[in-house]
Amino acid sequence: MKRILLIEDDVEFAEILSEFLVEHGLYVAHEEDPYLALSRVKIDPFDLVILDLTLPGLDGLEVCKEIVKGVKIPVIISSARSDIKDKIEALEIGADDYLPKPYDARELLARINSVFRRLEEKPKSGKIKDITIEKEKRMVLLQNKRLQLTSAEYEIMAYFLQKEGHVISRQELINNIESIAKETGVKSIDVIIGRIRQKLGDDPKNPKYIHSIRGVGYQLIQ
C-alpha cells in the first residue's frame, strides 16, 4: 500500500481528502504543523507528500525545499494560492505537480497515480528511455546515436535530463546554464529549444519529448 503524508492545516478539508484517498487504497497520515511534518517525513517511509503552501509558522515553499533536499520524496502542491510566481517557484524547487484549490478529489487521485506511474517506469540503469547522456564526453545520444549539439544545447538537455518530469521555466534555464548569458532574453531560450527539438525530431505541435507548459516553461517527458 502506498503511503502518503498530507501536510494541511485545514482539518476538515484534510479529513475529507484522507477518507477519499483511503477508500481508493492509499494509506494517509495527516500533519497540521509543518515542523512536525518535516520531522516525521525523515523517519517514516512515505511514498508521496501532498503539501499545502499556507501553513502556520513556516511557508509551504520552505517545507517543499526541505523535503526535496532531504529525503527525495515526490511532492504534490495543493494550494489556494493562485499567484503564478508561487506555482513557478514550487516547480523550480522540485515539486512534482501543483494543483490549485478548489479541486475535485478525483483529479488529485489521478495526479497521484500519474506520479507513481512515472516513478515506476523510470529505468534504474540511468538511461531515460530513448535518451542517454554521457557527461564525461559531454554527449547526448538519441537511441544510441550522438546528437550534434552546441554547448548551450547540450547543457540545456543535461539539465532537462537531471530534472526529468519537472516543469522548468525559461528563467531557470537562464540562471543555471553556464553557456547562456544572464542577460539573455526568454525568447532566445525558445529559439534554442526549437533547435533542440529539430535535432530530436520532435514535432512542437505533438511533442514526444519536450513539452511546452503554457505560461511556465518546458517539461521533458518520455
Side-chain angles (χ1 to χ4, degrees), residues 6-214:
L6 175 61
I7 308 175
E8 169 65 63
D9 68 336
D10 184 333
V11 177
E12 183 178 355
F13 176 73
E15 289 178 354
I16 293 171
L17 205 57
S18 297
E19 288 177 7
F20 176 84
L21 296 177
V22 168
E23 287 174 359
H24 287 81
L26 298 168
Y27 170 87
V28 181
H30 171 227
E31 289 289 351
E32 300 172 51
D33 186 292
Y35 293 101
L36 292 177
L38 285 173
S39 297
R40 187 168 183 178
V41 82
K42 292 176 182 177
I43 59 175
D44 283 357
F46 290 105
D47 298 292
L48 183 141
V49 171
I50 300 170
L51 173 64
D52 186 21
L53 292 187
T54 306
L55 296 168
L58 186 64
D59 188 79
L61 291 173
E62 293 301 318
V63 177
C64 184
K65 286 180 186 177
E66 290 300 313
I67 292 172
V68 172
K69 179 177 66 176
V71 289
K72 309 297 183 185
I73 297 174
V75 177
I76 295 178
I77 301 295
S78 161
S79 178
R81 280 159 48 173
S82 58
D83 192 331
I84 187 65
K85 292 181 181 178
D86 285 329
K87 183 174 184 178
I88 292 172
E89 184 175 355
L91 295 170
E92 285 183 348
I93 63 179
D96 291 78
D97 206 344
Y98 192 107
L99 189 57
K101 296 176 181 176
Y103 54 80
D104 191 304
R106 291 172 297 179
E107 181 179 0
L108 175 62
L109 178 63
R111 295 192 185 217
I112 290 170
N113 289 333
S114 177
V115 170
F116 287 150
R117 280 197 303 271
R118 187 168 71 243
L119 291 174
E120 290 166 0
E121 291 169 0
K122 188 173 182 179
K124 295 180 176 58
S125 64
K127 180 176 179 181
I128 303 179
K129 296 190 178 178
D130 292 348
I131 302 174
T132 305
I133 185 169
E134 295 185 9
K135 292 184 178 180
E136 298 81 4
K137 299 179 181 179
R138 288 179 64 85
M139 289 171 48
V140 174
L141 296 90
L142 176 64
Q143 296 176 345
N144 295 319
K145 293 182 180 179
R146 182 178 183 177
L147 295 174
Q148 298 300 319
L149 303 175
T150 66
S151 291
E153 291 166 358
Y154 165 79
E155 290 174 17
I156 286 177
M157 277 302 300
Y159 196 78
F160 273 143
L161 290 166
Q162 177 188 343
K163 300 278 190 176
E164 191 263 335
H166 290 194
V167 178
I168 301 171
S169 72
R170 296 166 179 84
Q171 191 60 49
E172 181 179 355
L173 290 173
I174 292 172
N175 293 341
N176 288 278
I177 303 303
E178 291 184 3
S179 295
I180 296 177
K182 294 297 181 283
E183 61 271 17
T184 299
V186 293
K187 293 295 183 184
S188 298
I189 297 297
D190 293 336
V191 171
I192 299 173
I193 297 296
R195 293 202 304 261
I196 294 173
R197 278 173 162 163
Q198 287 182 341
K199 295 176 181 182
L200 289 171
D202 221 2
D203 180 358
K205 294 182 179 179
N206 186 28
K208 180 179 180 182
Y209 303 116
I210 299 177
H211 297 247
S212 297
I213 308 300
R214 189 171 184 178

